[in-house]
Amino acid sequence: MRIGVFICHCGSNIAGTVDCPKVAAKALTYPDVVFSTDTMYACSEPGQDGIIAAVKEQQLDGVVVASCTPRMHEQTFRRAVERAGLNRYMFEMANIREHVSWIGKIMEDNTIKAQELVRMAVEKLRRNRPLIPKRFETVKRVLVIGGGVAGIQAALDCADGGQEVVLIEREQSIGGKMAKLDKTFPTVDCSSCVLGPKMVDIAQHPKITLYACAEVESVGGYVGNFHITIRRKATYVDWNVCNGCGLCLEKCPSHKHPDPFNENLCTAPSINIPFPQAIPKKAAINPQSCLKLTQGKCGICATVCPLKCIDYEQKDELVDVDVGAVIVATGYDLFDWHKYPQYGQGRYPDIITSMQYERLLSASGPTGGQIKRPSDGKEPKNIVFIQCVGSRDRSVDRPYCSGFCCMYTAKQAILTKDHLPDSQSFVFYMDIRSPGKLYDEFTRRAMEEYGAHYVRGRVSMIYPQDDKLLVRGADTLAGTQVEVQADLVVLAVGAEAAAGAAQLGEKLRVCPDQYGFFVESHPKLKPVETNTAGVYLAGACQGPKDIPASVSQGSAAAAKVLGLLSKKELESDPAVARVNQPRCVGCGKCIQTCPFGAIKEVADRFGNPKAEVIDTVCQGCGICTVTCPQGAIQLEHFTDNQILAEVQALCPPKIFANYE
Amino acid sequence: MSPLDDLKTAIKSRLGELDCVIGWEQGYDQLHATPLFIRSEADLDRLVIGPLAVHNLATYLPGLRGKKVGIIVKGCDSRSVIQLLNENLITRDDLVVFGLCCSGVVSHRKIRAALPVDPGFVEAVDLSTDTLSITASGQTTILHMADIAADKCQICQYPNALIADVLVGSPQESKVLTTLACQEEFEAKSEAEKFAFWQETMSRCIRCYACRNACPMCVCRDFCISTSRDPLWLGQENTPGENMMFQLIHVSHLTGRCTECGECERACPVDIPLLLLRRYMNKQVQDVFEHRAGTALEQTPPLLTFKVEEEGIKERGW
């Protein structure tokens, strides 16, 4: 084999603390290395041309570039060696920037370490072999999971781009959290007025199929060819017939159940349509509270329904769809503030969450848009908003900023003044975080034009006094303690990962981060991709986000999907596991451990069980290769022997000269 | 009727449907048993059970896949059968398990050590509940069972077969003791002492692979990684380092699978205390995953499954 080695200076990034010419000279002494040089910028056009010229002049079979991280430029150099006529897998990269020059200051030590890393890359390359990707066709259909604003936007953009879309929503109606909001910042326009038309578009778009009350049951397949099973939960109403007239809601005698759409501030009938603008506007029975389903008596809805669409015998239904790509837009949940002892843990009815307050403000809410406190229905005069409840607090394992609470609190303070001109709002805050177009102006308006009294400090306790709540906290700017007699306390609860996100992530092979939000492929350069090809993220399932950011991400994910599905065929990564079938004893341990379902059992011509890898499903994670006791399954491009060669290059085995 | 007679009756009634039943018979002398493959009723007369029937016969099962096999198991052996079933390496429908209630087996190593001279050929053996008398070269020695019981029997938690189509004998109590003095003594050593210990011990290893071949859970057959060039994990030099590496590979392949039957150590011709490594690994598995191999059907060894997060491993909250 003829190997060429290129040591990159990266300007002074590497050359500043590594003696690059010395590393290049040393590389010439390694086995199979016939050419070695150092270069100012290997990734630049002249740098790449230099590599290509060397391959041709020296008749190289493989190339090692020692430069930055492969995450940065592996693709660049693979393309370069391909242009030079080599297989792109006959290339290895040694990271002497992030792993050497940026972390060590001593030139001598750095140079030695760089030499060792180059030696490892050479030893690996000596055992590389050309790999050729496979091609396969894609299904021109998209699954969007979650019908909040991000999912709605993604679905509409994909459908407008000409792809068929299946949108599934866990709840009875799409709309998500945004449908519950009264107004939106910073323009204070009506939330349902801006969202409503988009929801109607979903219902009417000829390319969109909507399944509400549905969840992902299982996921199989791979990018371009996912097989999805959807569980459509029983609603006990035939939605093909129901026209949403609402007669059943009025006559239902069992309406003691808390209404989740109104954040449990009021009750709802057991057969219900959550809100007037619901899409689909169909009734569904709550099986936990319905008298007919729990006790077997009643049946009034079936009697009054003019279309006879009530079906108490309805069962969950499984629907199979094949899709080419998946957009996950499952949103977030609100932090459970009961974990904080200082806010009464639910003992005081007049301490409510910001989302409950939204429902009180909303004209379609339980109070018809009048602000009344839950305990006695009186209009509050002094209202205290407490920010960062479940945000930026290590003690409850929520060290992150939820991002939108500062803004919605300002909005709620403004709306409060609009609703109750005599009221006074107090906002306890840590810092005002309002980076966004017109955002800072908006918070200033809340303070300056609407007279909200902002107090920088935390609340230490709240306790009842007569029919009021005494809120005690610190004013860290004044350096004093403050006490406010409040009629109503609104907690600006933060965002956390949606319930069930972990289970969904497991099905889709999308990793959650340590707080349960899904991890994007690269925090800067691949914000909507995941590490599973063909699965994209939109909205707050990736991290707390406000509406504009969620909508942008919905469109971004749709653009990625449209780009993916515009190709007739896709290429699979050939760095996947491969079974050496004569070695395989057919124990099936790899099948058990594969998180991607990429290994199946086949029979050889004698009927012996053997493992076989489905190339296009395999993600190259290597779990099977460490599971297989006899080493019969190997990850191409990362075989045991390739990795052991690297280890041995670093720790050469002791030679026992004396065999007697 | 004695348990042996019960067992013979039970085997007789099932023998017709089976290719063979694996048990024990007397070996080259009265002290040593050897595996017996019963194919006809005539073979049945040679069957023996008791403290001298030391082998874990489950080792044969994966190799007999596809045949209808009966097997006689002690409590410890039954764990290996369960583990093999759980790993899909044998088929329950092809298997008839004759379970014993075992009161322990002897350690031939301990017997050898207790006798004044290596007996060579043993002329007569007399077994009672508590003693074993051995006559060799005209000289009779009486040994107490407590002194010559295998280590595993002193801490046995599963004396009765955990899986059995037919269970013979009267159930025995599990032992109170759960840890061995030799294990505690070894684990109390410093890293340097342990290193020196293995340097010395592994220099005795002749890489005969008897430990591997006797192990019921070593099922790679002709494809053991220790003799493979691709992948090449292990050189063939007979050095303490390479020998230890082989044992470490063996132990890691047994993680969550080892049933502590002790066949590896019993088979070792140079008396390497291999169970020190296995008991230690099993303790880790027990602590982290609350898993003990081969104690229940349908359980999956923790390393043979994929979980996003393990309950017993703290991956967050740093």
Side-chain angles (χ1 to χ4, degrees):
Chain A
M1 195 168 178
R2 296 174 64 81
I3 292 175
V5 177
F6 300 83
I7 313 294
C8 179
H9 290 224
C10 197
S12 63
N13 270 312
I14 294 170
T17 56
V18 174
D19 186 345
C20 295
K22 198 171 168 187
V23 177
K26 177 82 178 177
L28 262 183
T29 66
Y30 300 152
D32 290 348
V33 175
V34 294
F35 178 81
S36 181
T37 182
D38 53 308
T39 164
M40 186 53 86
Y41 287 106
C43 61
S44 66
E45 204 177 352
Q48 292 188 47
D49 288 346
I51 295 172
I52 293 167
V55 170
K56 291 185 173 153
E57 282 161 22
Q58 304 288 329
Q59 284 126 40
L60 300 179
D61 304 312
V63 171
V64 169
V65 175
S67 58
C68 50
T69 162
R71 287 190 78 117
M72 190 82 197
H73 276 314
E74 188 172 54
Q75 292 303 329
T76 314
F77 294 122
R78 276 185 180 173
R79 281 195 294 268
V81 299
E82 207 159 44
R83 283 206 304 282
L86 296 181
N87 182 279
R88 73 175 90 141
Y89 291 92
M90 298 308 286
F91 163 76
E92 282 301 324
M93 205 158 170
N95 182 355
I96 60 166
R97 194 178 72 176
E98 281 83 345
H99 287 179
V100 182
S101 68
W102 279 359
I103 55 166
K105 292 193 179 111
I106 307 163
M107 170 81 87
E108 204 177 324
D109 292 353
N110 277 0
T111 305
I112 292 171
K113 185 173 175 190
Q115 287 168 347
E116 287 178 338
L117 293 182
V118 172
R119 172 93 206 234
M120 283 169 70
V122 168
E123 287 299 333
K124 162 101 194 323
L125 179 60
R126 291 177 71 206
R127 286 155 183 86
N128 281 12
R129 62 185 198 90
L131 300 174
I132 293 152
K134 290 194 173 157
R135 306 187 138 268
F136 58 94
E137 287 191 5
T138 57
V139 178
K140 308 291 180 203
R141 193 179 293 118
V142 189
L143 174 73
V144 179
I145 306 170
V149 67
I152 288 173
Q153 185 66 39
L156 287 173
D157 286 353
C158 288
D160 287 342
Q163 300 299 336
E164 278 195 36
V165 176
V166 176
L167 172 62
I168 67 169
E169 165 58 48
R170 179 164 63 184
E171 304 299 330
Q172 198 182 336
S173 166
I174 57 169
K177 296 278 189 298
M178 188 179 171
K180 295 184 176 187
L181 303 181
D182 177 38
K183 302 283 194 307
T184 56
F185 59 79
T187 45
V188 201
D189 44 357
C190 161
S191 184
S192 49
C193 310
V194 288
L195 182 64
K198 279 190 183 291
M199 291 167 59
V200 175
D201 286 349
I202 292 278
Q204 294 180 345
H205 205 293
K207 284 201 170 282
I208 298 178
T209 311
L210 169 63
Y211 295 116
C213 278
E215 287 187 89
V216 173
E217 178 78 5
S218 65
V219 179
Y222 46 91
V223 56
N225 293 279
F226 289 106
H227 313 297
I228 314 283
T229 305
I230 298 167
R231 177 177 289 273
R232 297 190 68 184
K233 287 174 281 182
T235 57
Y236 308 98
V237 175
D238 184 350
W239 279 11
N240 295 323
V241 183
C242 176
N243 64 0
C245 72
L247 213 55
C248 48
L249 281 59
E250 290 166 22
K251 301 292 181 199
C252 177
S254 157
H255 39 62
K256 296 270 156 54
H257 199 72
D259 181 0
F261 184 78
N262 280 313
E263 295 287 311
N264 304 336
L265 284 168
C266 60
T267 57
S270 290
I271 183 162
N272 198 19
I273 298 173
F275 56 105
Q277 302 93 329
I279 297 286
K281 197 175 181 188
K282 310 281 181 190
I285 293 178
N286 178 345
Q288 267 91 50
S289 61
C290 170
L291 294 174
K292 179 76 179 174
L293 290 172
T294 53
Q295 297 167 24
K297 48 194 176 197
C298 184
I300 290 175
C301 49
T303 326
V304 298
C305 177
L307 298 170
K308 300 290 164 224
C309 56
I310 311 288
D311 174 9
Y312 298 115
E313 304 292 308
Q314 201 180 64
K315 296 272 177 301
D316 288 7
E317 189 190 340
L318 295 178
V319 183
D320 292 323
V321 285
D322 285 354
V323 297
V326 179
I327 296 176
V328 187
T330 47
Y332 66 100
D333 273 338
L334 293 169
F335 175 78
D336 178 13
W337 59 276
H338 293 89
K339 287 175 190 161
Y340 282 108
Q342 61 264 46
Y343 305 140
Q345 295 179 312
R347 286 196 298 277
Y348 315 126
D350 291 331
I351 300 179
I352 61 174
T353 69
S354 48
M355 192 56 104
Q356 289 176 318
Y357 197 60
E358 287 290 337
R359 296 311 301 153
L360 291 181
L361 290 168
S362 170
S364 67
T367 55
Q370 284 186 303
I371 305 175
K372 294 177 181 171
R373 38 187 234 170
S375 62
D376 51 13
K378 280 190 198 153
E379 281 191 350
K381 190 165 179 311
N382 283 351
I383 300 170
V384 169
F385 295 90
I386 302 173
Q387 293 204 187
C388 298
V389 176
S391 298
R392 303 179 64 197
D393 188 349
R394 279 175 201 279
S395 72
V396 291
D397 197 27
R398 296 285 178 274
Y400 55 84
C401 172
S402 295
F404 46 51
C405 322
C406 288
M407 292 305 296
Y408 75 60
T409 302
K411 175 196 74 181
Q412 290 179 342
I414 288 175
L415 292 174
T416 305
K417 200 70 177 173
D418 277 343
H419 279 67
L420 307 168
D422 291 338
S423 68
Q424 175 62 51
S425 297
F426 297 86
V427 180
F428 283 89
Y429 70 101
M430 284 162 66
D431 300 288
I432 303 291
R433 300 201 159 173
S434 53
K437 195 171 173 181
L438 298 176
Y439 281 16
D440 205 55
E441 297 91 314
F442 184 76
T443 52
R444 295 215 74 90
R445 244 169 69 207
M447 295 177 222
E448 289 159 10
E449 291 176 32
Y450 288 84
H453 187 73
Y454 272 67
V455 183
R456 188 177 192 275
R458 302 292 291 159
V459 168
S460 57
M461 69 185 299
I462 305 174
Y463 58 96
Q465 194 178 59
D466 304 329
D467 67 336
K468 290 180 188 301
L469 293 162
L470 204 62
V471 180
R472 213 178 248 184
D475 183 339
T476 56
L477 294 181
T480 57
Q481 294 291 313
V482 285
E483 257 185 21
V484 183
Q485 278 201 333
D487 299 294
L488 184 66
V489 175
V490 180
L491 305 176
V493 284
E496 62 182 19
Q503 289 79 355
L504 180 70
E506 214 167 311
K507 288 175 190 165
L508 287 165
R509 311 155 216 151
V510 177
C511 290
D513 66 15
Q514 64 188 115
Y515 306 110
F517 293 107
F518 294 132
V519 178
E520 65 281 2
S521 206
H522 187 284
K524 282 165 275 240
L525 302 178
K526 290 183 173 181
V528 295
E529 290 93 328
T530 66
N531 282 334
T532 299
V535 179
Y536 301 90
L537 303 175
C541 65
Q542 180 255 352
K545 256 174 218 69
D546 60 9
I547 294 166
S550 298
V551 172
S552 321
Q553 239 195 354
S555 288
K560 285 285 163 194
V561 167
L562 293 174
L564 177 81
L565 297 185
S566 68
K567 295 181 190 121
K568 193 170 176 300
E569 285 182 324
L570 295 180
E571 257 186 14
S572 66
D573 186 347
V576 294
R578 189 175 54 91
V579 180
N580 178 355
Q581 287 202 338
R583 279 193 81 81
C584 173
V585 299
C587 66
K589 293 185 171 76
C590 50
I591 302 173
Q592 268 178 292
T593 53
C594 176
F596 303 103
I599 307 175
K600 60 178 178 186
E601 187 181 304
V602 294
D604 68 4
R605 62 199 168 108
F606 306 108
N608 300 315
K610 299 281 174 183
E612 190 174 282
V613 177
I614 310 162
D615 285 13
T616 40
V617 185
C618 176
Q619 300 288 314
C621 72
I623 287 179
C624 55
T625 65
V626 295
T627 303
C628 180
Q630 67 270 32
I633 191 159
Q634 293 282 315
L635 187 58
E636 290 279 26
H637 207 55
F638 300 95
T639 62
D640 287 0
N641 277 4
Q642 285 171 329
I643 291 168
L644 287 167
E646 289 182 287
V647 175
Q648 300 229 332
L650 208 54
C651 326
K654 244 194 244 168
I655 305 294
F656 289 88
N658 182 6
Y659 286 99
E660 293 172 331
Chain B
M1 279 209 300
S2 73
L4 182 60
D5 293 330
D6 286 341
L7 184 60
K8 284 182 176 172
T9 317
I11 294 174
K12 206 177 281 178
S13 71
R14 303 295 294 265
L15 197 54
E17 59 186 282
L18 298 170
D19 291 314
C20 74
V21 175
I22 317 172
W24 304 270
E25 66 177 320
Q26 189 196 307
Y28 63 88
D29 66 14
Q30 285 184 34
L31 185 61
H32 295 88
T34 194
L36 167 68
F37 290 77
I38 304 162
R39 293 189 178 78
S40 65
E41 287 189 21
D43 296 335
L44 207 48
D45 297 336
R46 310 211 303 270
L47 179 67
V48 296
I49 55 174
L52 299 178
V54 293
H55 316 74
N56 179 359
L57 303 171
T59 307
Y60 290 110
L61 290 178
L64 293 170
R65 212 176 172 177
K67 291 200 160 50
K68 295 261 182 200
V69 179
I71 183 167
I72 308 174
V73 293
K74 308 184 286 288
C76 46
D77 310 339
S78 74
R79 288 180 62 188
S80 308
V81 173
I82 291 174
Q83 188 58 30
L84 288 167
L85 283 170
N86 285 346
E87 290 183 32
N88 238 345
L89 293 161
I90 54 175
T91 317
R92 184 68 183 96
D93 292 343
D94 290 342
L95 190 67
V96 177
V97 182
F98 302 94
L100 300 178
C101 299
C102 169
S103 50
V105 294
V106 300
S107 156
H108 285 290
R109 183 168 304 139
K110 287 186 185 172
I111 293 176
R112 247 188 352 257
L115 290 177
V117 286
D118 192 315
F121 186 81
V122 173
E123 287 143 19
V125 165
D126 190 23
L127 261 172
S128 78
T129 330
D130 297 325
T131 58
L132 175 72
S133 80
I134 297 172
T135 310
S137 317
Q139 199 182 349
T140 301
T141 316
I142 295 177
L143 300 170
H144 288 280
M145 273 301 185
D147 300 332
I148 54 166
D151 282 348
K152 64 174 177 179
C153 304
Q154 297 176 359
I155 52 167
C156 179
Q157 299 300 304
Y158 306 96
N160 310 310
L162 293 172
I163 179 174
D165 297 297
V166 182
L167 188 67
V168 300
S170 46
Q172 303 286 318
E173 301 266 320
S174 10
K175 295 288 189 294
V176 186
L177 205 62
T178 53
T179 47
L180 288 165
C182 62
Q183 187 74 23
E184 284 171 355
E185 191 188 318
F186 169 73
E187 286 179 21
K189 284 184 203 280
S190 69
E191 295 296 313
E193 285 170 330
K194 282 182 191 166
F195 188 79
F197 173 80
W198 288 120
Q199 279 282 333
E200 190 280 316
T201 312
M202 285 300 163
S203 66
R204 295 209 299 272
C205 172
I206 54 171
R207 287 282 277 285
C208 65
Y209 300 127
C211 50
R212 176 193 75 186
N213 296 354
C215 175
M217 304 318 300
C218 270
V219 292
C220 299
R221 301 198 289 271
D222 297 339
F223 301 106
C224 178
I225 204 156
S226 61
T227 48
S228 142
R229 278 174 181 273
D230 185 12
L232 180 66
W233 277 92
L234 210 57
Q236 297 305 311
E237 298 112 316
N238 189 10
T239 58
E242 294 287 290
N243 298 344
M244 187 64 183
M245 183 69 180
F246 171 69
Q247 287 307 331
L248 293 179
I249 290 175
H250 195 175
V251 172
S252 50
H253 284 181
L254 287 170
T255 312
R257 305 173 63 231
C258 174
T259 56
E260 272 181 49
C261 67
E263 289 292 272
C264 47
E265 194 171 289
R266 189 183 64 78
C268 181
V270 290
D271 292 353
I272 297 176
L274 294 167
L275 279 166
L276 289 178
L277 295 170
R278 285 154 183 68
R279 286 193 211 103
Y280 183 75
M281 174 62 103
N282 289 345
K283 202 171 104 213
Q284 306 305 312
V285 171
Q286 170 82 31
D287 289 351
V288 177
F289 301 106
E290 292 175 9
H291 172 88
R292 199 175 279 182
T295 52
L297 283 167
E298 312 287 331
Q299 74 185 165
T300 309
L303 295 198
L304 295 187
T305 184
F306 177 78
K307 248 189 195 173
V308 175
E309 216 169 330
E310 290 287 350
E311 290 89 7
I313 301 176
K314 201 173 173 215
E315 291 185 72
R316 304 175 184 213
W318 48 78

